[in-house]
Amino acid sequence: MTAKRVILELGTGNDLHGGDYTKAALRAVQDALHHSSLAMIRTLKIDTKTGMFVDVTIGVQQPDKVDAEKVRASLPHGIVTVKVVKGGLDIADPENNDPAVIASAAIAVRMEIPQAK
């Protein structure tokens, strides 16, 4: 059975003080998650451990500074993969050496939908 994308949620997150890319990424993921209610999972009797695939893409200016494992661990359901790419936005504060970091998150959920017999 081939998994089909059934959901795409987007979110943004930031770390206004300290330039913590992982914190901004986690906030972006939580923002995206809070836009979703996946009632169809129960209705379709999807096993979230084996039949739900969650593909997370995080965009930040310095992708190597995101702890992708922490992002993966923050997702409550599914078989999760995380990809971190260049994106987002850094806002410099040269007077105080206190950059703000903005991260973007895209969460795509694919499911194996049982076929009616």
Side-chain angles (χ1 to χ4, degrees):
M1 190 178 316
T2 302
K4 305 277 187 190
R5 185 169 84 180
V6 295
I7 297 165
L8 176 63
E9 287 293 347
L10 307 173
T12 59
N14 62 65
D15 181 29
L16 294 177
H17 301 286
D20 187 324
Y21 289 88
T22 299
K23 184 186 289 186
L26 289 167
R27 289 177 174 170
V29 166
Q30 289 304 306
D31 181 49
L33 290 178
H34 286 104
H35 294 148
S36 291
S37 175
L38 306 180
M40 72 178 154
I41 293 171
R42 287 187 191 138
T43 301
L44 295 172
K45 297 180 175 38
I46 302 292
D47 181 347
T48 60
K49 290 183 182 4
T50 61
M52 183 171 138
F53 305 91
V54 182
D55 302 318
V56 179
T57 304
I58 301 292
V60 292
Q61 284 292 297
Q62 296 186 46
D64 59 315
K65 292 190 176 179
V66 173
D67 184 336
E69 180 55 30
K70 280 187 180 177
V71 173
R72 190 198 64 71
S74 75
L75 278 290
H77 302 289
I79 299 167
V80 180
T81 60
V82 176
K83 178 171 63 170
V84 185
V85 300
K86 187 157 176 75
L89 183 64
D90 286 355
I91 298 115
D93 182 0
E95 294 173 6
N96 297 303
N97 192 27
D98 189 22
V101 172
I102 301 173
S104 299
I107 301 176
V109 178
R110 295 177 293 117
M111 294 183 193
E112 294 180 349
I113 309 296
Q115 301 297 316
K117 294 182 180 183

